[in-house]
Amino acid sequence: MKGFTRRTFGKTAAASAAAAFAGLTLPRLAVGQPQPQPSELRYPKRFVWGCATAAYQIEGGAKDDGRGPTTWDVWSHTPGKTHDGDTGDVADDSYHLYKEDANLLKALGVGGYRFSMSWSRIFPAGKGEINPKGLDYYNRVVDELLAKNITPYITLFHWDTPTGLSGGWQSRDTPKAFADYAAYVTKQLGDRVKHWMTTNEFVCFTDLGYRIAQFAPGMKLPAGPANQVRHHAILAHGLAVQAIRATTPAGTQVGLAENTNVYVPVMETQEHIEAARKATRLGNACFLTAVMEGKYMDAYLEREGANAPKVEPDDMNIISSPVDFVGLNIYTPSFVRADSSPQGFAQVPFPASQPHMASPWILLAPECLYWGVRNTVDLWKPKGIYITENGTSSDDVPTPAGRIDDVDRIMYLRNHLMHLHRATAEGYPVKGYFLWSLLDNFEWADGYSKRFGIHYVDFKTQKRTPKLSAEWYREVITWNAVV
Ligand code: FCB
């Protein structure tokens, strides 16, 4: 067998097997054991299946109808900051093609669509003057969705900070401006929109933007000021919760979307499960733990010492304003085990051989969907949980016939949904799942080099093509089950 490596041999064997079966139509259960019917991994009734996107990643229309500039416009136009200098100037042009995108959602059969509003379309300078044309756009989007029986789930802030806000998140005025923006838009749309998320992923617009300069606005602040930025972010969330409660009808659901650090116990024995819970509290101390507990953990304050955030008297009450749900954005976890250290756990690094998806940071460990839910609910008992993001990039290449057979994405999603199913079967209050993403889009510093959509986008023509994963997701939704 000279000349065969294991890889080529495997490929050749698979190819000849495939050729032998080509053209045959087999009765569904003719080969092997009967397959589980989708009903065996069925999700609860009224479970919300959806897709997620964000304004700067899909809208384009960066200068249309009076939209003001944001930190991401500036950052993406700064040479060397994004892959190939990509920007969100046009992105998926969803500002103009939103009806087409609503049709894609309709064809999938989703019950919900999570998208974000661009603050600077409505308040071009972040505060002060209002731009009615910006609001009109979201009125059109909401009405289009409702006409198609799709429930809008709106995120008020997904990282696109208006540059008009001097000092950005370093300033305590920014949380106040955010609350005013939240009050205004929820008053305008609250008759039709019943589900709101304040902020998306605190760590990405605080630490990644202000501490390590990976994202806009690209600063490297020392620990003290950087911790203050974090504090302003959670304060903005709390102020916005209060603003939304004041402007919307009873029954409106308010929450946030957080990419908590998710900890999976190395084995499911009591001591390691307990270790994962402790790690979840400490690993999210400056964000979700503070929001849910209304205080910073002593361990966090002691660790930060003189760099700890400056907290004004009512801040922690505001920050912990009750939410109706916690949204979890989950892609990848950390593993932990119990140990005899004072904190009671140790993180177990991934071996170099841990498989990952097209984005190297998405290390494959689908148990994270179960443990992300379970740790959060066991610790803080929120009334509801949504998975507000889960999905993966894939090296999608259309076949000559124009198909995109993203079987790796389907593998990723199916396995995550199996573990999420376990959470629902055990009674954890998971109400819905939003797949990231409806479309390939502007993936922040990775520009257009990483495709997360279940619809392929040709960025030259804006043509959208459903990938195999879109067909698969439609089946999941039809069966309300893992398929
Ligand atoms: C999340 C972001 C989202 C997208 C996915 C891949 O962290 O919230 O905008 O970039 O990652």
Side-chain angles (χ1 to χ4, degrees):
M1 300 278 283
K2 193 165 167 260
F4 277 119
T5 65
R6 264 176 53 181
R7 289 171 65 132
T8 49
F9 176 72
K11 277 187 187 161
T12 309
S16 36
F21 281 102
L24 286 179
T25 43
L26 294 171
R28 216 169 154 188
L29 299 176
V31 185
Q33 295 300 309
Q35 296 302 299
Q37 289 299 295
S39 59
E40 291 179 23
L41 288 173
R42 203 172 281 277
Y43 271 67
K45 283 201 185 81
R46 286 186 290 282
F47 190 83
V48 179
W49 296 104
C51 290
T53 62
Y56 190 67
Q57 294 180 272
I58 65 159
E59 284 180 2
K63 296 201 171 144
D64 286 22
D65 295 333
R67 175 184 178 274
T70 71
T71 51
W72 266 96
D73 295 284
V74 175
W75 184 244
S76 64
H77 279 269
T78 307
K81 301 305 182 193
T82 62
H83 179 267
D84 270 355
D86 290 341
T87 75
D89 286 1
V90 179
D92 294 309
D93 199 22
S94 205
Y95 190 70
H96 301 104
L97 301 178
Y98 68 92
K99 287 191 180 172
E100 199 177 312
D101 294 340
N103 286 337
L104 299 178
L105 289 160
K106 184 74 193 162
L108 289 169
V110 297
Y113 177 42
R114 173 179 177 239
F115 61 100
S116 83
M117 292 180 76
S118 157
W119 183 348
S120 71
R121 282 200 195 282
I122 294 154
F123 289 85
K127 58 183 178 183
E129 207 176 314
I130 290 165
N131 173 32
K133 286 188 175 167
L135 186 70
D136 288 349
Y137 169 63
Y138 295 106
N139 270 315
R140 291 195 294 276
V141 173
V142 164
D143 291 343
E144 184 71 21
L145 292 171
L146 292 174
K148 292 189 152 57
N149 237 336
I150 298 165
T151 304
Y153 287 71
I154 299 188
T155 316
L156 289 167
F157 176 68
H158 200 123
W159 311 352
D160 39 0
T161 313
T163 52
L165 296 168
S166 106
W169 291 99
Q170 284 187 271
S171 164
R172 215 182 139 91
D173 290 339
T174 294
K176 291 186 190 139
F178 180 62
D180 291 344
Y181 151 67
Y184 178 74
V185 296
T186 56
K187 191 165 170 45
Q188 302 301 315
L189 296 174
D191 57 333
R192 285 154 292 153
V193 179
K194 306 295 177 196
H195 300 84
W196 297 94
M197 283 143 285
T198 53
T199 48
N200 184 72
E201 301 189 354
F202 292 125
V203 73
C204 292
F205 67 94
T206 61
D207 287 8
L208 268 56
Y210 288 84
R211 195 183 285 248
I212 64 167
Q214 188 183 328
F215 281 179
M219 299 176 75
K220 288 193 179 167
L221 297 177
N227 287 340
Q228 202 60 34
V229 166
R230 292 172 168 177
H231 183 71
H232 293 158
I234 59 173
L235 182 62
H237 155 76
L239 286 168
V241 172
Q242 297 191 345
I244 301 168
R245 297 264 184 240
T247 55
T248 54
T252 302
Q253 303 285 296
V254 187
L256 74 175
E258 251 305 80
N259 59 335
T260 53
N261 287 312
V262 172
Y263 297 95
V264 176
V266 285
M267 56 191 92
E268 295 196 10
T269 57
Q270 207 41 53
E271 54 170 349
H272 298 295
I273 291 171
E274 187 54 32
R277 203 170 302 150
K278 287 181 184 157
T280 301
R281 252 190 108 215
L282 190 61
N284 297 291
C286 56
F287 298 130
L288 193 62
T289 306
V291 167
M292 300 309 283
E293 299 185 6
K295 69 190 280 286
Y296 286 120
M297 287 176 73
D298 292 341
Y300 173 65
L301 295 176
E302 279 158 24
R303 190 181 70 205
E304 298 301 324
N307 294 320
K310 314 264 171 299
V311 179
E312 294 194 7
D314 207 27
D315 285 3
M316 298 316 291
N317 288 333
I318 296 168
I319 287 167
S320 58
S321 302
V323 288
D324 300 297
F325 65 88
V326 170
L328 297 173
N329 294 0
I330 303 180
Y331 293 86
T332 201
S334 302
F335 282 93
V336 286
R337 61 179 168 77
D339 76 356
S340 55
S341 66
Q343 63 181 16
F345 65 88
Q347 197 166 318
V348 180
F350 281 113
S353 54
Q354 187 80 23
H356 65 78
M357 306 303 290
S359 301
W361 59 272
I362 306 186
L363 291 147
L364 186 62
E367 306 92 316
C368 59
L369 247 64
Y370 172 76
W371 284 102
V373 170
R374 177 164 166 181
N375 292 331
T376 305
V377 175
D378 288 356
L379 278 168
W380 300 303
K381 316 265 177 303
K383 284 180 244 163
I385 296 269
Y386 286 93
I387 301 302
T388 34
E389 287 181 25
N390 172 244
T392 185
S393 52
S394 165
D395 290 334
D396 300 317
V397 180
T399 64
R403 294 179 54 88
I404 300 98
D405 289 328
D406 52 342
V407 288
D408 59 339
R409 179 176 285 108
I410 295 174
M411 175 276 293
Y412 176 96
L413 295 169
R414 180 192 291 122
N415 280 281
H416 282 75
L417 286 185
M418 285 177 168
H419 287 273
L420 185 64
H421 180 269
R422 177 182 171 197
T424 64
E426 291 179 11
Y428 289 98
V430 188
K431 294 170 182 278
Y433 172 92
F434 293 87
L435 197 162
W436 186 275
S437 182
L438 175 66
L439 301 165
D440 294 337
N441 58 45
F442 174 76
E443 178 48 25
W444 307 113
D446 288 334
Y448 298 99
S449 71
K450 291 287 180 277
R451 293 178 176 271
F452 276 82
I454 56 173
H455 293 90
Y456 187 89
V457 177
D458 178 335
F459 291 104
K460 290 199 186 76
T461 61
Q462 292 297 345
K463 180 165 182 264
R464 283 98 159 109
T465 306
K467 303 179 190 176
L468 190 56
S469 56
E471 281 181 47
W472 170 84
Y473 195 42
R474 195 185 56 208
E475 290 294 319
V476 168
I477 295 168
T478 306
W479 288 92
N480 193 30
V482 184
V483 294

